[in-house]
Amino acid sequence: MTGRLDRHRAGRAAASLGLLLLAGSAAAGDAPATGEPPPPVAGGAGARPRICLALSGGGARGFAHIGALQALEELRVPVDCIAGTSMGSIVGGLYATGMSPREIEDAIGTVDWGSLFNDRPPRRDLSFRRKQDDVADLAEVEVGIKDGRIALPRGLIAGQKIGFVLESLTLRAAGVEDFDTLPIPFRAVATDIGTGSMVVLRRGKLADALRASMSLPGLVAPIEIDGRLLVDGGLVRNLPVDVAREMGADVVIAIDISTPLDPPSAIRSVTDVTRQVTGMLTHGNVEAQAAAADLLIRPDLAGATSGSFFQARAILPAGHEAILARRAALAPYALTEEAYTARNAALRAALKAPARIAAVRIDAPPDVDPRVLSRRIRTRPDSNLDLATLQSDLGRLYELGEFERVDFTLEPSGKGTDLVIRAREKPWGPRSLRFGVNFLNGFAGNTDFNVRARYTRLLADRLGAEWRTDAQIGRTRRVLTELYQPLEFSGTWFVAPSLDVSSAVVDIFEDDRRIADYDVHSASGAVALGAQLGRSGEARAGVLHGRARAHVGVGPSTLPRLDVSIGAWVGTLNFDRLDEAHFPHRGFAGGLGAFLARRGLGSDVAYDKLIGGAS
């Protein structure tokens, strides 16, 4: 049985950890706060106070913000500005673009939370070459080699899928650079990881601002904005009451959905300790801000955690009920039904998502030829924006392995709206290492244990060449290096020269009885011409030349020594449509191989060998 790292199970565990920790900031408790807001501003006809929301972070508990917005609309309480942190920034930012609470609820309901914290595209969307990585007994974790030193990624995930979801949800804000020009002025709060200071995001790409505000350090990689690396704003201001006040608010309604600290009896594991420490870091700034709010709302979220993303429908009503419980305090700020209806209609109509793409542009590192990327994109200029097609496009570029993340933005141009695909270089690339182990335990009691490493240099030239070297130590020692050189920008045709040196111990049997171990040493070189068969297969044909030597390591000395030259035509046809490499539920995989040794190619023995298999 071959022991492999169960990447499917490991990926799910990492996702669960992310769901558990995301924005798990602490507050004093879930009990609703008392205290009343100030009276309405005195003045002439039509005068009313400027009302601003301060929405806290708290992971999945932030679904309660949606319910709170629904209740405020039912009470006809206008919202003039919003400041949000983490999940509060996401809900608040979407509402600021003119989305209704119902639209936000429906949009969030379509998110696949189970896969959101796993950057890897579905295996069916991977190229055949990346699928080969799956079956190489290598851990999914990758380390880089930068300036001669080992470099690590900046987070367990880069946020590839998170970025796509946020860009998709904020399409109607395409072209908006100043958040004061949104239908409702908005601020997102993040933390500068370089200085530890609060950063209030008021300009730029809205999706980038939301992404920065909810990037929990260590889990989700920071995002660079204006030269600063930004992470979750909950570290410095999880309830941004002062930010709302600086937006000119006369009345600040603070909705705090952060997670209370656990009692000691509830702390039983390393994840519990991590969550508690994260909460302790933000507990102080939450309480100081809560005290400065005019009206503090703390929905009753007992039983809901920051990772309860699959309980959105159950969490949402808590925010609704908490607002309605303060109906009397909010009544003085209600507009007439006619005025509120007209105001909401104007907010909803202010922005519309662009439906048509005038041009497609590539924003990539300077050493990457845009043609390598553009040939892999199906979205075309002068066409309607199809998010499903675009998501597949981004996945094809991301799975090249060269970029930390690949996302998109929409920018206005003279001809309409341009789609800009942004490929961000890996800070720890372009050279990377992956490690793995495998072992074989035979029924006869023999075992085979090996440690493996793979060095990869991606996009080694402008056509997208890849240099890959595998090294293995153990019962079988081997070094295999190959240059995979595409012949054109689409990557369909390629040539692949390779060198293979190995030393292995081979068991020799007679009538099911092991009689000897041979030490086998071989070295060969090959060159093949090949073609990628879509995303599911690969065909190769070429020539191989090498030499093999073998002698008895353990066993009768009368057994012969071998020293042979090998020259052969070789061909392979492989395909892989499995949904998982090691424990598949759907699909199939298999291959055929031909080895035609010929004396005319330098082989000591002429013979033909055909092999094949399927699963």
Side-chain angles (χ1 to χ4, degrees):
M1 179 179 67
T2 301
R4 297 183 172 96
L5 294 176
D6 185 353
R7 286 185 287 273
H8 178 70
R9 185 176 301 166
R12 295 181 68 91
S16 299
L17 178 61
L19 298 176
L20 180 66
L21 296 180
L22 180 63
S25 307
D30 288 322
T34 59
E36 302 299 328
V41 173
R48 66 173 183 82
R50 181 174 172 84
I51 301 171
C52 194
L53 298 182
L55 306 180
S56 85
R61 291 162 64 95
F63 293 134
H65 288 317
I66 305 173
L69 293 173
Q70 290 175 344
L72 287 172
E73 291 204 345
E74 291 172 12
L75 298 178
R76 303 194 302 277
V77 176
V79 175
D80 300 300
C81 49
I82 303 172
T85 298
S86 198
M87 193 65 166
S89 76
I90 294 175
V91 175
L94 297 182
Y95 191 65
T97 66
M99 290 180 71
S100 70
R102 175 61 66 183
E103 288 175 322
I104 298 173
E105 178 184 356
D106 291 342
I108 288 181
T110 65
V111 175
D112 183 359
W113 297 102
S115 68
L116 192 64
F117 295 93
N118 180 1
D119 288 330
R120 181 182 172 88
R123 193 171 188 274
R124 65 177 181 275
D125 294 337
L126 295 178
S127 67
F128 181 78
R129 192 157 179 85
R130 295 287 77 81
K131 289 175 182 176
Q132 287 180 306
D133 292 339
D134 271 352
V135 296
D137 299 322
L138 297 169
E140 198 166 321
V141 177
E142 172 186 276
V143 299
I145 302 176
K146 193 78 169 180
D147 300 324
R149 302 173 60 184
I150 295 293
L152 297 174
R154 297 186 295 195
L156 289 178
I157 64 171
Q160 172 72 13
K161 293 181 181 177
I162 293 172
F164 181 82
V165 168
L166 294 177
E167 291 284 359
S168 302
L169 293 178
T170 58
L171 284 178
R172 65 175 69 198
V176 173
E177 289 290 332
D178 184 350
F179 299 164
D180 279 336
T181 64
L182 290 169
I184 301 175
F186 172 72
R187 301 287 185 271
V189 177
T191 303
D192 185 333
I193 199 170
T195 65
S197 59
M198 178 175 71
V199 177
V200 179
L201 297 167
R202 62 192 71 208
R203 297 185 59 84
K205 304 295 183 185
L206 181 59
D208 288 348
L210 304 185
R211 164 76 167 74
S213 186
M214 54 76 64
S215 296
L216 189 69
L219 174 64
V220 184
I223 182 171
E224 183 174 343
I225 298 179
D226 296 333
R228 296 178 295 191
L229 281 180
L230 303 183
V231 296
D232 197 304
L235 297 175
V236 291
R237 194 72 86 248
N238 198 49
L239 185 64
V241 172
D242 57 346
V243 177
R245 194 75 71 186
E246 290 171 2
M247 297 177 74
D250 298 308
V251 175
V252 177
I253 302 173
I255 304 177
D256 178 22
I257 48 82
S258 51
T259 307
L261 293 174
D262 292 328
S265 59
I267 302 175
R268 303 185 182 92
S269 67
V270 65
T271 55
D272 294 336
V273 172
T274 304
R275 184 180 63 245
Q276 188 82 338
V277 170
T278 304
M280 292 166 63
L281 291 173
T282 59
H283 177 74
N285 78 62
V286 167
E287 290 310 303
Q289 292 294 306
D294 298 304
L295 181 63
L296 177 62
I297 306 292
R298 279 185 171 142
D300 182 3
L301 293 170
T305 70
S306 60
S308 301
F309 285 94
F310 299 100
Q311 301 176 26
R313 302 294 181 185
I315 294 172
L316 189 144
H320 187 271
E321 295 165 4
I323 292 293
L324 293 185
R326 308 305 299 278
R327 182 193 303 264
L330 292 166
Y333 305 106
L335 300 181
T336 66
E337 184 171 353
E338 181 180 2
Y340 192 80
T341 299
R343 183 180 187 277
N344 255 16
L347 293 176
R348 303 286 188 263
L351 297 176
K352 296 295 183 184
R356 198 159 186 82
I357 299 302
V360 178
R361 293 188 277 127
I362 304 291
D363 178 9
D367 58 342
V368 176
D369 194 309
R371 290 172 291 183
V372 172
L373 308 185
S374 62
R375 295 295 179 90
R376 290 166 168 80
I377 294 172
R378 303 289 180 264
T379 302
R380 293 290 177 256
D382 194 26
S383 64
N384 291 332
L385 179 62
D386 185 318
L387 287 176
T389 300
L390 178 56
Q391 186 173 25
S392 296
D393 288 342
L394 300 185
R396 277 190 291 273
L397 302 187
Y398 181 75
E399 59 94 9
L400 288 173
E402 174 70 9
F403 308 111
E404 181 180 32
R405 72 178 192 279
V406 181
D407 58 20
F408 76 97
T409 188
L410 299 178
E411 293 184 356
S413 66
K415 296 183 179 180
T417 300
D418 290 354
L419 170 66
V420 181
I421 294 178
R422 305 180 296 184
R424 295 294 177 252
E425 186 177 23
K426 284 180 178 178
W428 65 94
R431 299 169 179 84
S432 65
L433 284 172
R434 292 172 62 187
F435 300 92
V437 297
N438 65 46
F439 64 89
L440 178 68
N441 186 8
F443 291 108
N446 54 312
T447 60
D448 189 353
F449 180 85
N450 300 288
V451 178
R452 306 191 66 183
R454 170 168 289 176
Y455 167 88
T456 305
R457 171 61 166 97
L458 295 168
L459 298 185
D461 68 1
R462 301 192 73 82
L463 286 172
E466 177 181 327
W467 179 27
R468 185 168 70 189
T469 299
D470 288 344
Q472 177 173 298
I473 58 174
R475 183 176 172 90
T476 300
R477 299 174 299 282
R478 185 184 189 192
V479 175
L480 168 64
T481 186
E482 176 188 83
L483 176 64
Y484 177 88
Q485 177 63 66
L487 299 178
E488 29 78 45
F489 286 105
S490 70
T492 300
W493 292 95
F494 65 90
V495 63
S498 63
L499 294 173
D500 189 353
V501 178
S502 67
S503 177
V505 177
V506 178
D507 296 326
I508 304 299
F509 290 85
E510 183 179 87
D511 298 329
D512 296 330
R513 182 173 59 90
R514 186 174 64 182
I515 61 172
D517 287 342
Y518 260 77
D519 292 331
V520 180
H521 306 274
S522 66
S524 64
V527 61
L529 176 67
Q532 294 293 334
L533 308 178
R535 311 190 69 76
S536 300
E538 178 187 272
R540 294 189 181 204
V543 61
L544 175 147
H545 185 77
R547 194 170 192 87
R549 296 180 175 88
H551 64 272
V552 177
V554 176
S557 59
T558 56
L559 291 174
R561 299 173 65 93
L562 301 175
D563 187 348
V564 296
S565 293
I566 304 168
W569 299 108
V570 292
T572 58
L573 174 63
N574 293 295
F575 54 90
D576 186 339
R577 302 194 66 178
L578 298 175
D579 61 343
E580 294 287 345
H582 302 306
F583 301 99
H585 302 286
R586 294 181 300 276
F588 55 90
L592 296 172
F595 190 92
L596 311 178
R598 295 292 182 266
R599 296 184 184 276
L601 294 175
S603 182
D604 289 340
V605 180
Y607 65 94
D608 296 340
K609 181 171 67 175
L610 297 175
I611 56 175
S615 60

